[in-house]
């Protein structure tokens, strides 16, 4: 179940800092605080011990990227609900070019629902969180309670109570001068930083409307059920297709587009209305999530953001983010502005997952703290409010969604427990809570 934010503990942290541009501050949430005394690792030779919680593909990738980002980082602990997944991750990491800094002893391989806490208590300095999104609020809170820096994959919650927990934990991290770097990697991509800066500098005039479309054939994440698996184990292994674990696919994946446009707007909407459903992913192995969403977000000044996404095989693919203004149109994924102030930027997207880790360790080595907590929580809520609206058929305000009492947590966490298949949401029937 979700927990409340932790109580304040004495601030940690440090020393003299490099000056940063306003653009960097706005993008990364960099905190420059000369009162820091021990929360960063300014000496380049000071070893940073890292633990990974969540040993799937994304977690394994994040671990390799974190080791590439700084030569004095070691991976010393792994945690996962499943031992086989943990061991596969370990073996894959031992095949990389950074294998010499994968130093995970047998007694630092933690398995089960409480594995995250054992890892946090094992002497690590920084934790990579990459489990299914449902667990992020609980795990993030535990890390900050224990005084650990965090790299936090997207999205960061699946319901309103989870988002509120993350926002409270973010406040505590700021008080303690602890890093929270988000896996919303477009904010760290250098070409996209330049693209958004052009918009913020007036390149298209005043923003009139925004649109994001991401149509894909489907995703490969799927686990075929084995007879010996309990309901809980099956749903955990097939987590993408269960809202309580993933938040539905518009939250788990489309959050990148929602975050890019939120970055452009510099604010979050006041209202949302959405439609969605499942037409092609209807077999039992697809759980109970939808396969398409179409959403309108309204902002306080009347600006509208049209957001549409689908996962349906055999259909046309499309991936585009556009921002229309009084003096032109920006096409984000083309790094291009057309209109009064035409501009074409260079595409430098290849290493954006790496760049966020590079930025995290560079900041720590310079005695600086990055805290991305607010935007990673609010952008995650963009997906959640759209799902709530589509599931219920209701127009929802941002305030309603933020104050929602719907907690998707199971009654307990027990790998052997029975967990009935959730029903498919029906607009007009499924209530908003």
């Amino acid at each position: 179940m979700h927990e409340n934010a932790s109580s304040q503990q004495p601030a940690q942290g440090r020393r003299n800092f490099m000056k940063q541009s306003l653009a960097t501050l706005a993008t990364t949430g960099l905190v420059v605080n000369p009162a820091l005394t021990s929360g960063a690792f300014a000496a380049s030779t000071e070893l940073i011990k890292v633990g990974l919680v969540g040993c799937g593909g994304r977690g394994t990738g994040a671990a390799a990227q974190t080791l590439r980002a700084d030569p004095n980082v070691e991976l010393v602990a792994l945690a996962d609900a499943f031992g086989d997944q943990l061991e596969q991750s370990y073996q894959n990491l031992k095949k990389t070019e950074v294998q010499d800094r994968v130093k995970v002893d047998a007694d630092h391989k933690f398995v089960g629902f409480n594995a995250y806490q054992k890892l946090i208590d094992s002497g690590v300095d920084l934790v990579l969180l990459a489990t299914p999104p449902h667990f992020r609020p609980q795990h993030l809170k535990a890390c900050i309670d224990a005084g650990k820096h965090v790299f936090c994959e997207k999205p960061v919650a699946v319901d309103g109570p989870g988002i509120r927990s993350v926002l409270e934990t973010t406040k505590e991290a700021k008080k303690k001068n602890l890093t929270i770097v988000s896996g919303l990697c477009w904010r760290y991509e250098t070409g996209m930083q330049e693209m958004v800066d052009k918009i913020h500098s007036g390149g298209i005039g005043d923003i009139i409307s925004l649109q994001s479309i991401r149509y894909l054939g489907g995703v490969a994440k799927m686990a075929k059920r084995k007879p010996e698996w309990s309901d809980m184990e099956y749903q955990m292994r097939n987590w993408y297709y269960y809202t309580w674990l993933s938040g539905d696919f518009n939250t788990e994946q489309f959050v990148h587009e929602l975050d890019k446009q939120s970055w452009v707007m510099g604010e979050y909407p006041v209202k949302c209305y959405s439609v969605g459903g499942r037409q092609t992913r209807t077999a039992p192995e697809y759980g109970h999530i939808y396969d398409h969403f179409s959403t309108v977000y309204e902002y306080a000044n009347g600006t509208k953001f049209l957001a549409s996404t689908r996962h349906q095989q055999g259909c046309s693919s499309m991936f585009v983010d556009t921002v229309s203004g009084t003096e032109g149109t920006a096409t984000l994924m083309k790094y291009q502005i057309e209109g009064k102030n035409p501009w074409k930027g260079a595409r430098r997207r290849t290493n954006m997952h790496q760049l966020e880790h590079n930025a995290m360790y560079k900041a720590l080595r310079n005695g600086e703290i990055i805290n991305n907590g607010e935007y990673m929580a609010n952008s995650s809520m963009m997906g959640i409010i759209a799902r709530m609206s589509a599931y219920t058929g209701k127009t929802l305000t941002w305030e309603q969604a933020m104050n929602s009492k719907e907690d998707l947590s199971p009654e307990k966490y027990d790998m052997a427990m029975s967990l009935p298949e959730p029903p498919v949401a029906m607009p007009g029937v499924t209530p908003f809570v």
Side-chain angles (χ1 to χ4, degrees):
M1 303 294 286
H2 297 305
E3 304 175 39
N4 294 326
S6 63
S7 59
Q8 183 178 359
Q9 294 182 8
Q12 300 177 354
R14 159 145 44 226
R15 314 162 171 73
N16 296 321
F17 311 111
M18 296 173 61
K19 293 182 180 180
Q20 299 289 325
S21 69
L22 290 175
T24 300
L25 290 172
T27 299
T28 64
L30 190 68
V31 176
V32 181
N33 185 346
L36 294 178
T37 58
S38 63
F41 301 83
S44 62
T45 57
E46 189 174 352
L47 179 65
I48 301 176
K49 296 181 179 180
V50 175
L52 168 64
V53 180
C55 298
R58 180 76 286 271
T60 303
Q65 287 147 3
T66 221
L67 292 173
R68 294 183 187 116
D70 188 294
N72 286 307
V73 169
E74 291 181 357
L75 182 69
V76 300
L78 295 172
D80 196 272
F82 302 111
D84 59 333
Q85 185 159 279
L86 183 153
E87 192 58 34
Q88 183 64 57
S89 175
Y90 175 74
Q91 294 299 330
N92 287 341
L93 287 166
K94 292 298 286 186
K95 297 174 183 176
T96 66
E97 79 280 8
V98 290
Q99 61 181 281
D100 59 318
R101 288 186 284 123
V102 179
K103 298 183 177 181
V104 185
D105 298 330
D107 61 356
H108 281 71
K109 295 178 178 179
F110 306 108
V111 176
F113 281 115
N114 64 345
Y116 74 98
Q117 191 63 60
K118 293 178 180 179
L119 179 142
I120 290 169
D121 296 337
S122 70
V124 297
D125 303 305
L126 188 149
V127 181
L128 312 175
L129 296 180
T131 62
H134 166 79
F135 298 99
R136 204 84 73 243
Q138 180 185 28
H139 292 177
L140 180 63
K141 179 184 180 299
C143 289
I144 300 304
D145 280 353
K148 309 301 180 183
H149 299 291
V150 177
F151 171 79
C152 192
E153 256 305 340
K154 59 78 193 168
V156 296
V158 297
D159 53 30
I163 293 294
R164 296 195 296 271
S165 172
V166 170
L167 288 171
E168 286 301 314
T169 299
T170 294
K171 293 177 183 177
E172 293 301 316
K174 289 180 178 179
K175 293 175 184 177
K176 296 181 179 183
N177 293 310
L178 292 171
T179 287
I180 300 177
V181 167
S182 169
L184 289 167
C185 48
W186 285 104
R187 300 241 185 178
Y188 287 89
E189 200 281 306
T190 55
M192 194 61 71
Q193 287 176 353
E194 189 176 7
M195 173 81 260
V196 175
D197 186 59
K198 289 289 184 182
I199 297 172
H200 288 170
S201 299
I204 61 171
D206 296 329
I207 294 174
I208 298 172
S209 65
L210 310 95
Q211 183 178 45
S212 288
I213 298 173
R214 190 168 187 178
Y215 294 157
L216 298 174
V219 291
K221 302 174 184 177
M222 181 172 288
K224 186 176 181 180
R225 186 161 190 169
K226 296 182 179 180
E228 65 269 24
W229 288 354
S230 67
D231 293 341
M232 174 64 84
E233 179 164 0
Y234 173 63
Q235 291 186 28
M236 287 277 291
R237 289 187 181 273
N238 208 31
W239 63 269
Y240 193 81
Y241 298 96
Y242 292 92
T243 300
W244 77 271
L245 286 161
S246 70
D248 210 315
F249 85 95
N250 76 305
T251 302
E252 202 283 332
Q253 185 183 76
F254 198 51
V255 66
H256 281 299
E257 284 59 63
L258 302 177
D259 181 60
K260 276 180 282 183
Q261 298 289 30
S262 297
W263 178 17
V264 168
M265 278 297 293
E267 61 182 291
Y268 287 89
V270 297
K271 184 188 297 185
C272 165
Y273 36 98
S274 182
V275 296
R278 45 191 281 150
Q279 296 173 314
T280 62
R281 293 199 306 199
T282 58
E285 59 265 30
Y286 294 114
H288 69 127
I289 67 170
Y290 282 6
D291 60 18
H292 65 280
F293 288 88
S294 185
T295 306
V296 178
Y297 299 96
E298 290 189 8
Y299 293 84
N301 65 357
T303 300
K304 291 183 174 63
F305 170 25
L306 311 179
S308 181
T309 184
R310 74 180 177 203
H311 282 174
Q312 296 177 332
Q313 292 184 353
C315 299
S316 298
S317 296
M318 186 179 297
F319 189 10
V320 62
D321 302 296
T322 57
V323 185
S324 298
T326 55
E327 297 180 353
T329 299
T331 305
L332 303 189
M333 300 301 290
K334 291 184 177 180
Y335 299 79
Q336 180 176 309
I337 290 176
E338 297 175 303
K340 184 178 179 180
N341 307 297
W343 172 81
K344 179 69 175 176
R347 297 192 184 197
R348 289 166 288 188
R349 303 186 310 204
T350 310
N351 297 315
M352 63 183 180
H353 288 93
Q354 185 63 54
L355 290 172
E356 56 196 357
H357 290 267
N358 295 353
M360 178 169 65
Y361 291 105
K362 181 180 179 181
L364 287 171
R365 295 302 188 188
N366 288 326
E368 300 158 351
I369 296 299
I370 297 174
N371 190 316
N372 301 151
E374 290 183 7
Y375 77 67
M376 73 182 192
N378 286 314
S379 291
S380 296
M381 176 51 82
M382 290 277 284
I384 293 169
I385 188 176
R387 183 200 74 227
M388 289 175 170
S389 178
Y391 277 16
T392 64
K394 304 296 184 182
T395 297
L396 300 175
T397 67
W398 188 259
E399 184 178 6
Q400 283 177 307
M402 274 293 187
N403 292 321
S404 168
K405 295 180 174 60
E406 181 183 45
D407 188 333
L408 298 180
S409 305
E411 292 183 1
K412 60 180 179 177
Y413 297 101
D414 181 346
M415 199 61 73
M417 70 183 283
S418 174
L419 197 63
E421 288 276 325
V424 176
M426 296 181 64
V429 177
T430 299
F432 172 77
V433 182

